[in-house]
Amino acid sequence: MLNIAWHTLRTRLVSFVGTFLALALGAALIAAMGQVLATTVDSPDRAPQRYAATPYVVVPDERLRVETWQGEQSRPLAERHGLTAELAARFPGAVLDRIFPAQVASGQGKLGGDAVGRPWSASRTAPQRLVEGRAPRTAREIVVSTGARVGDKVSVITRSGTKPYTVVGVTDGPPTVFFTDDQAARLSPRIDALALWTRPSGVPVLTGQERALMDPNREGDERARDNANTIVGIAAGFAVFIAVFVVSSTFAFAVAQRRREFALLRTVGATRRQVRRMVYGEAGFVAVAASALGALAGPYAAGPILDWLVGLGMAPAWLVPSRQTWPAVTAFVVSVVVALAGVSVAARRAGRVHPAEAMREAAIEPRVMTWGRLLVGAGLFTAALISMVVNAVSDPQGATNNKSFMPILMLLVAGVGLLAPVVVRPVARLLAVPLSRLRGVGATLVPAAAATSVRRTAATAAPVLVAVGLAAALLGAAAMTEAAKTATQAAPVRADYLVLPEGSVGLDRQLVERLRAIRDVEIATTAPTSMYTLEGKTALIQRPTEAVDPARLGSVLDIPVTKGSLAQLNDRTIAVSETWELELGESAKLWRADGSEISLKVVALLAPNAPSDSYVTTAHAFSAPVTTAYVKLRPGASAREVESALRRSTQGHNARALTKDAWVSETGDRRGSASRLGLLVVLGIILAYTAISLVNILLMAASDRTAERASLRLLGATRAQVVRYVAGEALLVVAIGVVLAAAVAAISLGGLWSSLVQIAGPIAISVPWPAVGAVIAGCVALAVAAAVAPALRRA
């Protein structure tokens, strides 16, 4: 039977080209993604940057350590202590490095964002070399990295406020403002590190790669790694899912076309087992060849994929593609298993063909929906519905995580795809109503052919279902989720304006004082800090906390609580979310951002949609920067005058005042753009696979319909009429696929809406019409081209 399978492949080459390409692409993609994943996971950390030229660095032990019955638990402190002056005095040749936020005011140079201030003596630790000018000599002279010119008069913003300086030098390297050592000590008395060129004794020291622990971009690098791992994992998962879908649908359609062939084999003595072996053999030949090609070619695509992710800001730029063999081996094995698993149902169905069907096939099409397919499809569809109900009832907050939505969507797509033959006839008749008003026999033949050949119609509509359904559901879900997050964040805000910083300095003290001096407004600020809890008496958890002024908070924020009241918030109390698992009135043992232990009484339990995880007073903020100032107009205040005063106050402080509506719009746009970038990768895979499947199935169907087109010509149809008939049938099949996709999108987005509405209130069900329209147009173009090309050649 394997010999027959080999010869069958040679004679039915067109039927298997699409499957070959889909498996090869899947194997290549899995291998490439595996290489990227290996790179992001196994690649060593970036080499030290800030202290690259310094062999030894002494830093303080800035970790909170708590003893539990299971041993010591530790977490990094949010509030740094610095080194003592006594310790620094022990090493007279060391560079006393002080690192603090410092920015050149906007409009006075390109230096900004996350620039830091440092003493000039620390410039040689990287090193950052002078490219122009000289070192600073007085308290009002600075050296900046590229972005300003020697002689420029600029204002520099630090936590204390803004002061004028003269640029006397320019260096290379990352954004840095260098002050004289004395001025840096005045601006930031804390000593953050000692840089030495001889090994010190009696103190812990960082050497080699450990020096990278002090680099400013370390946390950003880890986030970028995690983003790349998430995107690569999701893309690989969809690659496997669509590969199974393509292979199973292709082989199922091929088996349906060849029922008479299998019946003839049974007639001449082939057993059911032999027929199944032949089908498995065909799949095996295709799978081995395609998987080998894809597994060998895939690793070469890892570099371009990694460059693409870097360009999108989803991976660190310093990663180098890994050269490992396991991704190629894994891709080959997974692709072969996917192919054999996808053809298993088709093989069993082929084995059940009876010899008598060699004659019956010519008379009537057999039942298209088997009990097995019906049960599996209904089971997957029901599982998707149950999952949506469970999420809506038990965990509506989890709906904001797209990773929980995607598996449900995949179940729904698979279920609807398997159940498609049930609805093909009624949908075809529904869509045929507008066609009935057209002139000519084509208006009758097109819907009749689609309704009669249900299996072919369902198989051809399936790729359209996948492409349009997933595009609409994924992009719609992303838009709805981001809208819900934005609505949740904006709902408690009573303020008319928000003042936000541009960079890591935050809103400096001088700016906050100027804001508080504005007449006819209420001003309240928030500063993000941390609290540490010992949960379960074993796990030390760092929790985000907002430091606020309780007396001013209520006028600008309406924070939802389930129990208690924020009016009781003071220096000895705390308001926490229910995730803290604390009771109202309970006194909790906590550690503050600087590691000091404190006991605070819980006076309010925050609702799940509260904008922060907990609230404390500003007494616990320490040096945490103010990140937001809320501005509320008093009754009778002039909005125009207040807005003008806000512009004057923020000028020169790298901050801006936004109306609440502008802030909501900007926040939503920023979130939406970040979310769409990740979906582009996933949708690219989906569209590539579905395009191959759609073209392949149409070409397979066209090869078996030569006699049908010849009959039309014998009955008097012209070549143009035959081509229009074929194109019309392709358009109708695409329309059926779009209807099924609309059902998938409606159900999935409706289920998501039922969860999001509980946490964000009424939100619109968002459908990305331009993107969906583009996908539909692409499906139409491919379907018509794949159907018309054979007709033009043979009609």
Side-chain angles (χ1 to χ4, degrees), residues 237-238 240-242 244-245 373-391 402-420 465-466 469-470 473-474 686 740-741 743-745 747-749:
F238 268 103
V240 175
F241 169 72
I242 304 297
V244 172
F245 197 93
R373 178 169 182 165
L374 181 63
L375 291 175
V376 173
L380 293 174
F381 187 80
T382 304
L385 294 181
I386 292 174
S387 298
M388 285 188 285
V389 171
V390 170
N391 283 350
N402 282 332
K403 288 185 286 187
S404 66
F405 175 76
M406 289 181 180
I408 295 176
L409 179 60
M410 292 166 71
L411 287 175
L412 192 59
V413 169
V416 173
L418 289 173
L419 296 175
L465 159 66
V466 173
L470 290 184
L474 287 175
I686 294 171
L740 296 176
V744 168
I747 294 171
S748 60
L749 296 180

Side-chain angles (χ1 to χ4, degrees), residues 29-30 32-38 40 225-239 305-306 309 314 681-682 685:
L29 188 61
I30 294 171
M33 293 298 180
Q35 290 285 8
V36 175
L37 192 62
T40 58
R225 277 183 188 264
D226 292 341
N227 289 340
N229 291 341
T230 300
I231 292 298
V232 170
I234 292 174
F238 268 103
I305 291 175
L306 190 59
L309 292 176
M314 293 185 173
V681 179
V682 176
I685 298 166

Side-chain angles (χ1 to χ4, degrees), residues 691-716:
I692 292 171
S693 178
L694 180 61
V695 172
N696 181 53
I697 291 179
L698 283 169
L699 291 177
M700 290 170 60
S703 65
D704 282 350
R705 303 183 68 190
T706 304
E708 180 181 332
R709 290 193 294 268
S711 298
L712 289 174
R713 294 299 304 275
L714 290 173
L715 291 173

